[in-house]
Amino acid sequence: MSKTEKALREAFAGESQANRRYLAFAEKAEDENMSGVAKLFRAVAAAETIHAHKHLRTLGAVKSTKENIQEAISGETHEFKDMYPQMIADAKEEGNKSAEISFTYANAVEQVHADLYSKALQDPANFPVQDWYVCKICGYTVAAAPPEKCPVCGANPKAFFKAD
Ligand SMILES: [Fe+2]
Ligand SMILES: [Fe+2]
């Protein structure tokens, strides 16, 4: 890998993290009644997304939708088959209950994501255009309408928001 390719990968990771970090900071600023700062965090977060996407496209890592779905499936599968199980085991061993829950929620939902992507891969052009709902507690992702009870974390339908 060239120095530049390595740099693009690192920059993509850093900008992506900055985007999510600033959005989390914006929520906190809203909680603390500092809406002006919240808006600044959201604006800069949007700019970091521009940077992240540019780095990713420059790497040639945005391909055809079919290839992108395959890439998404392999990422989600790696997470629920290898990455999170090990992290859950380590968190348990270290007695870090909140990390264990955080990893366990993500682990369960990544499996759902891999299944959804696998369905989409069967016939991407005819995959239905539908509303998607996401549990704000665990990230469980479901089409059409929120369930009575989140199958991953047990939250009620009010915990679900409609994805853009
Ligand atoms: Fe996922
Ligand atoms: Fe949930």
Side-chain angles (χ1 to χ4, degrees):
M1 194 190 300
S2 70
K3 261 198 273 186
T4 301
E5 189 183 338
K6 189 166 175 281
L8 284 166
R9 287 172 187 272
E10 282 173 15
F12 171 66
E15 298 284 1
S16 300
Q17 288 185 28
N19 165 269
R20 301 334 279 186
R21 188 175 293 119
Y22 294 161
L23 292 179
F25 290 174
E27 273 185 40
K28 180 68 176 177
E30 294 288 7
D31 289 347
E32 293 184 344
N33 290 313
M34 296 180 214
S35 292
V37 178
K39 282 179 77 108
L40 173 63
F41 274 131
R42 286 195 293 267
V44 178
E48 310 304 23
T49 296
I50 305 282
H51 298 156
H53 285 177
K54 183 105 180 142
H55 298 331
L56 193 67
R57 282 193 294 264
T58 304
L59 271 165
V62 180
K63 298 180 180 145
S64 72
T65 294
K66 242 186 170 152
E67 289 168 296
N68 292 337
I69 298 169
Q70 278 160 341
E71 163 85 24
I73 292 169
S74 69
E76 302 284 343
T77 303
H78 162 70
E79 288 173 357
F80 79 79
K81 275 210 167 134
D82 306 309
M83 189 185 89
Y84 282 128
Q86 184 62 54
M87 289 177 173
I88 291 164
D90 291 343
K92 260 188 197 150
E93 195 180 298
E94 292 180 354
N96 191 330
K97 193 69 198 165
S98 57
E100 186 190 333
I101 292 168
S102 194
F103 295 147
T104 300
Y105 282 170
N107 186 55
V109 175
E110 308 314 8
Q111 190 152 6
V112 173
H113 292 166
D115 291 345
L116 292 170
Y117 284 139
S118 297
K119 277 185 199 136
L121 189 60
Q122 288 168 14
D123 189 4
N126 292 302
F127 191 68
V129 176
Q130 56 197 333
D131 290 335
W132 289 93
Y133 291 85
V134 180
C135 176
K136 67 182 176 203
I137 311 291
C138 72
Y140 178 70
T141 311
V142 63
E148 276 309 298
K149 189 178 164 198
C150 177
V152 171
C153 76
N156 68 38
K158 278 192 208 123
F160 282 75
F161 64 90
K162 194 157 106 174
D164 294 336

